[in-house]
Amino acid sequence: MDTLNTDIRVKKLDFKINDIQILNDISFSVCKNEVVGIIGPNGCGKSTLLKNIYRHYKPTGGVIFIKGDNIFGLKNKEIAKRLAVVSQENNLEFDFSVIDVVSLGRYAHSGILNNNSKDDEDHIMEALRSVGMQDFADRSFLSLSGGEKQRVYMAMALAQKSEIIILDEPTNHLDIGYQMLLMEMIHDMKDVTVLMSVHDMNLAAWYCDRIIVLLKGKIIEEGIPENVLTRELIRKVFHVDSEVVTRSGDNRMQVNYLNYFK
Amino acid sequence: MHKVNKKKLTLIIVLSAALLASLVLAINIGAVNINPKIIFSVIVNHMTGREIFQTTWDTSQDSIIWTIRFPRVLVAGMVGAGLALAGVFMQALTKNALADPYILGISSGASTGAVVSILIGTIPFIGKIYLPAGAFAGALLTSILVFVISGAGIKGRSANLVLVGMAISALFTALTDFIIFVNPDSKKLGSVLFWMTGSFASIEWMDCIPAVSALLGGIVVSIVINRELDAMLMGEELAKNSGVNTTLIKVIIIIASTLLTGIMVSMSGVIGFIGFVVPHVTRGLIGARHKNLLPVALLIGAIFMIWADVLSRTIIAPEELPVGIITAMVGAPFFIVMLRKNKYSFGK
């Protein structure tokens, strides 16, 4: 029986593609309102793990619970009400406006007539404001830069008003300012549980409550950033020598990368 | 948002007026030119069943307007709108702007089915094959083949869809040619050949019933699932993550577009390119959102086909050209320009 406080629970998850084991015996939980980051080298299975959780893939073994229910027992709309996703594989080629894209975030809340209510429009504008895109509402999505598109997808996920958000490398395409703005926003969101894959270890350290480290499809470490992000772990996982220091001004931990070794 | 609504309303009003004008002009143009006032009077008198306007025309004019040209122009408009709608559906399904019933080979399948029904007529144990039934069966068979082989149907990959469509189209065209070649009944050959490149020459009032039913059915489906069509066109993963039952929507789209294509092709023969030219032009005018796109695409599809038909019967008058030649002459260069622009891949 799942505890009420667990929003995501992954139990003995296995995933293979053409007999190649991509994920191996993965088990972890994410509690309500927690921000959990998944780190690991390219090809370690971060995105695949997230894709199993949001049902892009079907696991070859194990079970995944979202708010206590097996994800394969839920309808798409029920899942969308609980879980919003910002994935890496969005490739919109047709001429929609920014507001059209964000409106899709309200789909799970719509009735048979499918029209956006005043309430929906408020949520859409609020989501656009929170990513700084309110002035772009009527702009063509195709005319936006990669970073602006990423912010629109984020707004769409926020408009979904679900309690859990899954983000696959959300800071991709963003300049450092928007990377920090986005992570601040994610960190400060109230009553939202976040599971995301992150490349930048400093962002992971500053904004995640907990970090899961994946290597070759297995979880090799899990815990609070201070305990997980050690010189030894970074060496083992990324083949990079580094120094992990505590900054004097704000006492935040900081990872400085020194050199790569083979 | 309000800007788009105003533009949409203006477009719908302008295009509706243009459609009405096209209907009257298309009835007017032909071997015998008839005064538009008489056209209006004849139609009103027939529709109301009373002599609202005093009869100042002869019976041959009455017959040309009411029995020959009016149903022909109406069906042409409905087939244009229907094929444009089928294109909209298929593009949302495949996320590929090149997808349309003709390019995906579905029209060729319908054509094979229709030719079988014209030339062979009966199949042992099944009995007489009526033309619409034959065309529909052909359309259904090809759409299943195309979607299954390319994997673009339920499972979600639209890899090589256009290429698979072209291969299937070639296969069914060859099959049709084979049936014609081995069939000794040369009397029927002329009508078959004419039908294979599309024509509205033999349209009668009875043809309006399947055309209206298919078009209305398609429009109702498109209204009900307009938001899901948006979501599908944005990307299947995005649609699914937003809560869309993508499997159900794909089944609905496949059935609706196959029915529309099968029924429309059974009346007009194979008419290519409408399904992708019209949605593409419409997106340029009003954007991709289906709520706005659908009414405009239906009107443009209808107007386009009415004028293609007018051209087909006037260019070499008193002879008639198959209307498929006109649409291909517009559509094929358009297709090449789109490929050259590199905006749309050959299926991925």
Side-chain angles (χ1 to χ4, degrees):
Chain A
M1 189 65 196
D2 245 26
T3 62
L4 283 172
N5 247 349
T6 308
D7 270 1
I8 303 173
R9 187 168 168 219
V10 177
K11 205 172 159 190
K12 292 183 176 300
L13 175 71
D14 274 312
F15 183 70
K16 287 179 190 172
I17 296 179
N18 298 334
D19 281 338
I20 299 166
Q21 190 90 33
I22 312 288
L23 297 173
N24 194 350
D25 196 22
I26 303 270
S27 294
F28 68 92
S29 296
V30 181
C31 294
K32 199 169 167 51
N33 301 341
E34 226 186 346
V35 177
V36 175
I38 304 170
I39 64 166
N42 290 338
C44 70
K46 299 186 292 286
S47 292
T48 310
L49 171 57
L50 296 180
K51 281 178 178 172
N52 272 275
I53 297 174
Y54 65 79
R55 293 203 311 182
H56 181 83
Y57 290 139
K58 194 169 185 185
T60 35
V63 245
I64 297 161
F65 298 95
I66 298 294
K67 291 192 148 306
D69 292 314
N70 187 330
I71 50 161
F72 282 96
L74 294 172
K75 288 181 177 160
N76 288 10
K77 263 196 178 179
E78 286 171 34
I79 292 183
K81 280 183 190 165
R82 299 180 192 195
L83 182 113
V85 181
V86 179
S87 75
Q88 280 191 66
E89 287 175 24
N90 295 316
N91 184 22
L92 208 160
E93 293 171 13
F94 292 87
D95 192 19
F96 286 97
S97 69
V98 165
I99 205 156
D100 292 343
V101 177
V102 181
S103 298
L104 184 57
R106 298 302 301 163
Y107 177 82
H109 302 274
S110 63
I112 295 169
L113 283 175
N114 272 339
N115 282 326
N116 278 340
S117 63
K118 175 81 181 62
D119 196 33
D120 289 328
E121 283 179 19
D122 290 345
H123 285 306
I124 291 164
M125 288 318 291
E126 182 196 329
L128 277 169
R129 268 193 296 277
S130 56
V131 295
M133 292 294 284
Q134 68 277 17
D135 295 334
F136 290 70
D138 290 324
R139 272 272 293 274
S140 158
F141 183 82
L142 295 180
S143 71
L144 304 182
S145 72
E148 288 165 343
K149 286 178 181 168
Q150 186 71 359
R151 282 152 62 197
V152 173
Y153 285 128
M154 186 66 204
M156 184 185 146
L158 292 175
Q160 213 163 310
K161 287 283 163 200
S162 48
E163 288 175 55
I164 306 167
I165 298 186
I166 289 182
L167 304 133
D168 196 356
E169 293 182 14
T171 53
N172 258 2
H173 306 293
L174 296 183
D175 65 43
I176 187 66
Y178 276 111
Q179 285 189 25
M180 294 189 70
L181 174 84
L182 183 77
M183 294 300 267
E184 296 262 357
M185 196 179 82
I186 290 168
H187 187 259
D188 294 343
M189 281 190 299
K190 287 194 173 61
D191 301 322
V192 175
T193 307
V194 177
L195 177 65
M196 62 181 159
S197 60
V198 200
H199 257 312
D200 189 311
M201 268 172 280
N202 285 316
L203 292 178
W206 300 339
Y207 299 109
C208 294
D209 301 321
R210 201 149 53 87
I211 287 174
I212 291 169
V213 185
L214 269 187
L215 185 63
K216 293 178 182 165
K218 278 189 164 180
I219 293 180
I220 60 158
E221 197 66 65
E222 193 183 338
I224 59 167
E226 289 76 8
N227 291 348
V228 171
L229 294 175
T230 60
R231 212 173 146 261
E232 293 70 33
L233 180 114
I234 295 167
R235 210 179 141 78
K236 181 179 172 188
V237 174
F238 296 99
H239 291 249
V240 166
D241 277 325
S242 62
E243 53 175 19
V244 182
V245 295
T246 306
R247 297 197 307 211
S248 53
D250 55 5
N251 279 335
R252 271 178 162 178
M253 66 181 287
Q254 166 92 36
V255 180
N256 296 323
Y257 309 115
L258 301 175
N259 56 283
Y260 175 80
F261 65 88
K262 288 195 175 176
Chain B
M1 270 195 287
H2 300 299
K3 231 192 309 180
V4 176
N5 281 340
K6 206 174 161 191
K7 194 175 174 188
K8 176 184 163 188
L9 197 66
T10 314
L11 266 172
I12 290 176
I13 292 169
V14 169
L15 288 168
S16 301
L19 178 62
L20 209 63
S22 301
L23 278 171
V24 175
L25 283 171
I27 295 170
N28 174 252
I29 297 168
V32 182
N33 275 339
I34 302 167
N35 182 342
K37 205 180 149 196
I38 296 180
I39 295 174
F40 183 73
S41 308
V42 169
I43 291 172
V44 170
N45 279 8
H46 273 282
M47 283 187 130
T48 53
R50 290 189 217 150
E51 199 176 325
I52 291 182
F53 295 98
Q54 202 186 351
T55 311
T56 55
W57 51 88
D58 57 46
T59 48
S60 70
Q61 281 180 318
D62 188 287
S63 155
I64 288 172
I65 295 168
W66 185 253
T67 318
I68 301 171
R69 290 195 193 158
F70 192 38
R72 176 178 182 151
V73 172
L74 272 184
V75 169
M78 286 191 280
V79 168
L83 291 177
L85 185 56
V88 169
F89 279 145
M90 286 177 187
Q91 288 158 22
L93 175 72
T94 60
K95 223 188 134 197
N96 189 331
L98 300 180
D100 101 320
Y102 181 70
I103 290 158
L104 295 189
I106 294 163
S107 300
S108 301
S111 150
T112 307
V115 168
V116 166
S117 69
I118 295 172
L119 287 181
I120 299 173
T122 52
I123 287 181
F125 308 113
I126 295 177
K128 185 167 164 46
I129 311 284
Y130 292 97
L131 198 140
F136 179 68
L140 187 67
L141 179 67
T142 33
S143 65
I144 291 169
L145 277 175
V146 170
F147 291 122
V148 168
I149 293 172
S150 68
I154 310 301
K155 289 249 167 111
R157 284 183 312 114
S158 73
N160 301 325
L161 180 82
V162 175
L163 291 177
V164 171
M166 285 180 166
I168 295 286
S169 178
L171 180 72
F172 276 83
T173 306
L175 197 62
T176 309
D177 290 345
F178 177 78
I179 296 165
I180 293 169
F181 194 77
V182 297
N183 200 290
D185 196 349
S186 58
K187 264 188 270 170
K188 290 178 182 169
L189 218 57
S191 72
V192 166
L193 286 175
F194 202 72
W195 191 85
M196 277 172 70
T197 35
S199 167
F200 294 105
S202 54
I203 292 295
E204 296 167 4
W205 271 115
M206 281 301 284
D207 295 312
C208 285
I209 297 166
V212 168
S213 324
L215 187 61
L216 284 183
I219 290 173
V220 169
V221 170
S222 73
I223 291 170
V224 174
I225 65 166
N226 81 84
R227 211 162 168 197
E228 286 81 359
L229 291 172
D230 286 347
M232 294 296 284
L233 204 60
M234 288 183 199
E236 195 181 338
E237 189 175 294
L238 213 59
K240 195 174 168 189
N241 291 338
S242 308
V244 176
N245 184 344
T246 48
T247 311
L248 176 69
I249 293 299
K250 283 171 163 188
V251 171
I252 292 174
I253 294 177
I254 291 174
I255 293 173
S257 53
T258 306
L259 267 168
L260 261 175
T261 309
I263 292 172
M264 293 307 177
V265 169
S266 75
M267 281 175 298
S268 63
V270 178
I271 298 172
F273 298 102
I274 299 277
F276 95 95
V277 170
V278 174
H280 184 78
V281 170
T282 312
R283 278 189 205 106
L285 289 172
I286 192 90
R289 195 163 189 185
H290 288 85
K291 199 171 125 188
N292 305 323
L293 174 90
L294 284 160
V296 179
L298 287 167
L299 287 167
I300 293 180
I303 295 169
F304 184 80
M305 190 65 99
I306 287 173
W307 285 105
D309 180 48
V310 168
L311 279 178
S312 80
R313 58 192 157 90
T314 49
I315 286 180
I316 54 160
E319 296 298 309
E320 277 201 23
L321 269 178
V323 68
I325 292 179
I326 311 283
T327 61
M329 277 178 176
V330 177
F334 198 89
F335 186 81
I336 293 166
V337 169
M338 276 174 71
L339 283 179
R340 292 269 304 170
K341 267 169 82 185
N342 222 3
K343 204 170 163 188
Y344 302 104
S345 70
F346 233 106
K348 60 184 174 183

